[in-house]
Amino acid sequence: MRNLLRIRPKRRNARPPDSAPGAAYRSASYLPLRPWQVRGRRFATRRRGLDPVEVAAFLDRVAGDLAAAYAEVARSREETARIKGALREWQSRQAPSMRDLAGRP
């Protein structure tokens, strides 16, 4: 009964410090897997376990797909930054000057 009445502090889900604003929300305890982590993952062997060669091949395939996804995200972010820069430049060229707004020659 005591354990049921004990008040536990709420866990705060916060964005990891290395994540960028606008990035997908994740709890602070979750860190995304990197390809090298997938490739290096080893599992305990059991008497009737999985085929280690097949598991290694699958993990290598998943790591390759993950590396490709990270590369695509990086390329997309670079393209987004380039487009935003071009838009800002265009907007600044299109905006009337302060003299035009003030009505002065």
Side-chain angles (χ1 to χ4, degrees), residues 59-76:
L59 289 177
D60 194 45
R61 180 178 171 192
V62 170
D65 290 348
L66 192 58
Y70 278 120
E72 183 62 26
V73 167
R75 189 200 60 75
S76 178

Side-chain angles (χ1 to χ4, degrees), residues 73-88:
V73 167
R75 189 200 60 75
S76 178
R77 285 185 178 153
E78 289 171 2
E79 183 178 1
T80 300
R82 182 186 60 77
I83 291 171
K84 282 182 178 180
L87 177 61
R88 283 188 196 106

Side-chain angles (χ1 to χ4, degrees), residues 12-77:
R12 291 187 172 195
N13 291 332
R15 190 179 306 274
D18 59 35
S19 65
Y25 174 81
R26 301 207 187 272
S27 72
S29 63
Y30 178 86
L31 295 175
L33 287 173
R34 300 292 181 195
W36 62 268
Q37 291 173 312
V38 174
R39 282 191 182 96
R41 179 74 164 110
R42 298 293 173 249
F43 298 94
T45 56
R46 301 281 186 242
R47 184 174 183 182
R48 292 184 174 203
L50 300 173
D51 179 15
V53 174
E54 190 176 341
V55 170
F58 178 76
L59 289 177
D60 194 45
R61 180 178 171 192
V62 170
D65 290 348
L66 192 58
Y70 278 120
E72 183 62 26
V73 167
R75 189 200 60 75
S76 178
R77 285 185 178 153

